[in-house]
Amino acid sequence: MSVLAQITNAVEAHDRFVERQVARARSEPEFRDQILQRWHAVRAGIRTVATPTGLKLPRLALPQTDEPGEITRYLYGEGLPGEFPFLNGAYPELYLKAEETTEPSNRKAQMANR
């Protein structure tokens, strides 16, 4: 079997796993409660950032749903930043840490060096 076929099989297997977890979240009350508890904890832990105009926005945009199946699809299929399968970023706050430590005067120098 070629490497590409192995990758395809792995992706398809992961998609099937996600769909099984979605069905489980919709049918098993205990698993549903675990998913909802994790979701509420994640949403409560998201900090905000102020735009230059003073508007406060969450640092992470999450789907606006409380349906356990769709929450499960997001958590297992896309994952939170820094969590498998890393579709939303390899690190929890990939770009934010660099911006927080960079002063405005240094940003101009960085842009000039590009």
Side-chain angles (χ1 to χ4, degrees), residues 81-83 86 88-92 94:
E83 294 183 8
F86 305 105
N88 287 320
Y91 303 101
L94 184 63

Side-chain angles (χ1 to χ4, degrees), residues 93-105:
E93 293 185 353
L94 184 63
Y95 301 106
L96 294 174
K97 289 184 181 178
E99 289 180 12
E100 288 174 352
T101 59
T102 305
E103 295 178 13
S105 60

Side-chain angles (χ1 to χ4, degrees), residues 35-57:
I35 292 294
L36 289 173
Q37 186 176 34
R38 180 173 179 220
W39 186 248
H40 293 301
V42 166
R43 290 183 70 170
I46 295 175
R47 295 181 295 175
T48 59
V49 63
T51 65
T53 59
L55 181 66
K56 291 196 181 246
L57 298 173

Side-chain angles (χ1 to χ4, degrees), residues 14-57:
H14 179 70
D15 289 343
R16 287 189 300 272
F17 168 77
V18 170
E19 289 307 314
R20 284 192 308 271
Q21 298 305 312
V22 169
R24 190 173 163 210
R26 289 178 174 154
S27 64
E28 295 179 20
E30 186 177 313
F31 186 64
R32 177 185 313 127
D33 292 342
Q34 289 174 358
I35 292 294
L36 289 173
Q37 186 176 34
R38 180 173 179 220
W39 186 248
H40 293 301
V42 166
R43 290 183 70 170
I46 295 175
R47 295 181 295 175
T48 59
V49 63
T51 65
T53 59
L55 181 66
K56 291 196 181 246
L57 298 173

